[in-house]
Amino acid sequence: QVQVVESGGGLVQAGGSLRLSCVVSGLTVGGIPMGWFRQAPGKERERVSCINRNQNGDIPWYLDSVKGRFTISRDNAKNTLYLQMNSLKPEDTAIYYCAASDKRNAYLSGGYYCYNQQAFTYWGQGTQVTVSS
């Protein structure tokens, strides 16, 4: 049974940093498509960053508004996906969800998975990020 568990959320002032972690059990994270999404109150779930591996290694995709501030990465030894979030803004406030797929495809980009959420089979329960102004 696959489980996806996020952690690392919290309350931070604007300009601060947080690192979200997503621990996966029952599935090896190395080389599989994974992503981070977020949902603010009253809004639809939004893609934030996704990653997939091709012959050149892990290829990330980022939402324009987080480029240069957020970094997605994974530690295969710890079976964990991370999202380092710097220079946080109040508009980053949301519940952040981690997603994973057990279907490898080296021909698809991280962006493909971010634009096709249905490709992700497993989702976590989310972790709250609140950025105060």
Side-chain angles (χ1 to χ4, degrees):
Q1 183 179 358
V2 177
Q3 288 189 318
V4 177
V5 180
E6 305 96 334
S7 64
L11 173 63
V12 64
Q13 288 188 332
S17 298
L18 285 173
R19 186 176 79 159
L20 304 184
S21 298
C22 171
V23 178
V24 179
S25 58
L27 181 66
T28 300
V29 304
I32 63 170
M34 298 190 72
W36 289 98
F37 296 81
R38 66 188 181 188
Q39 188 167 21
K43 295 187 178 181
E44 292 187 353
R45 189 164 62 191
E46 176 182 51
R47 60 188 69 88
V48 176
S49 180
C50 295
I51 192 167
N52 192 31
R53 177 173 295 174
N54 64 15
Q55 63 272 22
N56 297 316
D58 279 342
I59 307 299
W61 178 93
Y62 296 98
L63 179 68
D64 280 349
S65 63
V66 308
K67 282 181 181 177
R69 300 190 297 122
F70 290 11
T71 303
I72 190 171
S73 64
R74 52 183 157 193
D75 186 329
N76 296 339
K78 295 182 178 179
N79 227 40
T80 300
L81 180 74
Y82 299 101
L83 185 67
Q84 178 67 45
M85 306 187 296
N86 298 328
S87 302
L88 282 161
K89 303 176 181 180
E91 51 263 43
D92 295 319
T93 295
I95 299 174
Y96 283 70
Y97 297 92
C98 174
S101 170
D102 56 2
K103 296 178 175 57
R104 301 171 186 265
N105 190 325
Y107 298 100
L108 298 175
S109 66
Y112 169 86
Y113 288 94
C114 259
Y115 279 91
N116 293 275
Q117 299 182 26
Q118 65 274 15
F120 287 114
T121 310
Y122 306 103
W123 291 80
Q125 294 300 306
T127 185
Q128 175 71 49
V129 171
T130 304
V131 185
S132 63
S133 57

